[in-house]
Amino acid sequence: MEFTETIPPLLIQFAMTVAFAFVVGLEFRRYHQINQYQLHFGSTRTFVLIAIQGFLLYSLDPAKHLFAAGFLLLGASLLVYYWHLASKGIFSIFSPLLALLIYLIGPVAIAFPNWFLMLFVVVLILILGEKPVIHRFSDQLANDEVVTLAKFLIISGVILPLLPDRPIAPSLPVTYDKVWLAVIIVSGFSYLSYLLNSYFFKSRGLMVTAVLAGLYSSTVATVVIGRRARDLAAAESHVSAALIIATTMMYLRLLALIFLFNPHVAIQLLPPFALIVAVSLIAAAVLCRYQKPALPFANAVDVQHPLELSTAVLFAVLFMVFTFVTHYVTSHFGSNGLNILAIAVGMTDIDPFILALLSGKFAASEAAIVAAVVMASGSNNLLKAAYSVFFARNISVRFGAIWLTALFVASAVYAKTLTI
């Protein structure tokens, strides 16, 4: 028997309640010292006592009447405190709300898993400690940005539960809810990159551009890097490294998406994709060692907003088109036809094709699906190699273009071995 199993669960929960309330109390005290607030509610000890009160009242009464009464009394006390602050011209309700959340630490420790308790406390600490960052972000965030996000969340939350879990048509062997789920997940990944690109890294070097734009779209990143490379003919190593990093982000992004839709396929793709990522990172690091002078910073990449309704609808349409085409090809031409289709799709947007391939029910084996994903991603690398050469128009992208072409050849060879 382990030592932790001999400790009563109630004692562990109480200790966690006291410890976490103490930590939040310390951060609250630091928060007031940094911001030089003269009037504030209680201290670290006050927060610990509030948390203990919530813990005891929640534990003593199974019906939770005592806990509810304690919550109301604490709320009334905080209301008097807020009335006092308002008389001084201070109208912030932050401290009273935080005190009420501290009261809930005990019940959360008892009723929820430990990971949720830790997440709850971490969020409280981040809210206290990252006030300047939060204010700076909210000041920079445009009003239409919030409205767009709200619309998308509403549409996602309302539409997804209403969509039936049945195939759209015999020629479209994918369910309605899978189509919209794909839209939501891909848009979410793109939105994360969009926020980082637009609000947190407005001015950055070429490598950061490769990482952030590559997370959004490696093709977009390649075009951006290629255009900037026109003025960086002497920075061949750094430009090529950036191209390789952008494509590396594509493989990481694809792997995350595939894990969400089909873990079995993702596990089979993990070895080749992990090898590509590792070797690409090594190649980029070696190239960066040869670039001595620092490159100039540039503005953020101008990308289309991923949560616009038109963008979501376009992705859904492409998803269904690729589902129809994939169903036709696999039904009439088998795995060889699917590989040819994957090469052709690689010259366009591969996300809807790959997710449609993973979500639908086609006359193709799992090995054929894995080969098609590898082939589509490899073909997309060939397109990016051509883009980099076309937009740069100098030798700065030479190593990057050769590397992307080599990845295409390696992908074709690996895909062929899977379908033999």
Side-chain angles (χ1 to χ4, degrees):
M1 180 180 294
E2 295 184 2
F3 173 72
T4 54
E5 296 178 357
T6 64
I7 304 175
L10 190 65
L11 179 59
I12 296 176
Q13 293 161 356
F14 179 75
M16 294 176 69
T17 299
V18 173
F20 285 137
F22 182 78
V23 171
V24 176
L26 289 176
E27 186 63 30
F28 181 71
R29 184 172 180 272
R30 190 177 75 90
Y31 166 83
H32 278 277
Q33 289 177 340
I34 291 176
N35 293 280
Q36 297 180 348
Y37 293 146
Q38 299 300 321
L39 297 174
H40 59 86
F41 178 82
S43 62
T44 303
R45 292 174 300 171
T46 306
F47 273 37
V48 173
L49 290 174
I50 291 175
I52 292 175
Q53 180 186 19
F55 180 89
L56 292 176
L57 294 179
Y58 188 88
S59 303
L60 288 173
D61 182 13
K64 312 309 176 195
H65 296 310
L66 288 177
F67 174 77
F71 187 85
L72 292 175
L73 287 174
L74 177 61
S77 302
L78 294 171
L79 185 61
V80 173
Y81 164 72
Y82 178 72
W83 174 80
H84 175 66
L85 285 183
S87 66
K88 304 286 186 180
I90 303 174
F91 300 99
S92 172
I93 62 171
F94 181 77
S95 295
L97 288 178
L98 184 63
L100 292 174
L101 291 173
I102 293 298
Y103 183 78
L104 296 176
I105 288 181
V108 170
I110 296 172
F112 289 85
N114 290 339
W115 66 263
F116 183 82
L117 172 63
M118 294 183 210
L119 177 63
F120 179 73
V121 174
V122 166
V123 169
L124 294 181
I125 293 173
L126 287 177
I127 291 174
L128 284 168
E130 301 300 328
K131 177 184 175 182
V133 176
I134 295 172
H135 281 189
R136 184 166 63 251
F137 177 68
S138 61
D139 291 339
Q140 294 176 351
L141 196 65
N143 290 334
D144 56 349
E145 189 77 57
V146 180
V147 173
T148 302
L149 175 60
K151 287 180 180 178
F152 187 82
L153 291 175
I154 292 172
I155 293 173
S156 303
V158 171
I159 292 181
L160 185 60
L162 298 178
L163 292 175
D165 183 19
R166 58 181 175 82
I168 299 174
S171 58
L172 285 173
V174 65
T175 60
Y176 291 89
D177 58 340
K178 281 291 183 65
V179 174
W180 195 246
L181 181 62
V183 172
I184 294 172
I185 291 177
V186 171
S187 298
F189 272 87
S190 299
Y191 187 58
L192 173 62
S193 174
Y194 173 84
L195 288 178
L196 294 173
N197 177 74
S198 301
Y199 295 101
F200 292 95
F201 297 94
K202 287 191 172 183
S203 180
R204 82 289 295 272
L206 199 62
M207 298 307 295
V208 179
T209 297
V211 172
L212 296 181
L215 182 63
Y216 178 88
S217 168
S218 60
T219 305
V220 171
T222 300
V223 172
V224 171
I225 294 169
R227 286 174 174 169
R228 286 179 57 184
R230 291 185 184 181
D231 303 321
L232 301 172
E236 181 176 0
S237 298
H238 206 88
V239 171
S240 292
L243 289 173
I244 294 172
I245 289 297
T247 293
T248 302
M249 295 306 298
M250 177 197 74
Y251 282 102
L252 294 174
R253 182 174 186 267
L254 281 178
L255 201 56
L257 289 172
I258 294 169
F259 259 111
L260 292 175
F261 279 83
N262 194 323
H264 296 291
V265 172
I267 290 173
Q268 294 190 48
L269 284 168
L270 186 58
F273 277 16
L275 179 62
I276 290 174
V277 169
V279 175
S280 296
L281 289 176
I282 293 172
V286 171
L287 287 171
C288 285
R289 290 191 62 182
Y290 290 97
Q291 188 62 47
K292 299 301 181 184
L295 295 180
F297 279 55
N299 292 330
V301 180
D302 186 17
V303 296
Q304 184 179 3
H305 199 300
L307 297 191
E308 291 289 351
L309 185 58
S310 58
T311 306
V313 171
L314 176 61
F315 184 91
V317 171
L318 288 175
F319 188 97
M320 290 186 288
V321 168
F322 283 128
T323 300
F324 172 79
V325 174
T326 303
H327 174 71
Y328 180 84
V329 169
T330 54
S331 299
H332 292 80
F333 303 103
S335 59
N336 290 331
L338 183 60
N339 281 336
I340 295 174
L341 175 62
I343 295 175
V345 169
M347 301 299 167
T348 61
D349 187 359
I350 64 174
D351 281 354
F353 167 72
I354 290 177
L355 296 186
L357 188 61
L358 298 173
S359 303
K361 296 181 179 179
F362 304 105
S365 65
E366 195 169 87
I369 293 175
V370 172
V373 173
V374 172
M375 199 68 256
S377 58
S379 176
N380 189 250
N381 291 334
L382 189 62
L383 173 68
K384 287 179 291 191
Y387 275 164
S388 65
V389 173
F390 175 79
F391 286 103
R393 300 178 186 177
N394 57 42
I395 64 170
S396 64
V397 298
R398 178 176 53 180
F399 291 130
I402 292 174
W403 185 265
L404 293 175
T405 304
L407 286 181
F408 165 71
V409 175
S411 298
V413 172
Y414 184 80
K416 186 65 177 178
T417 61
L418 292 175
T419 54
I420 292 178

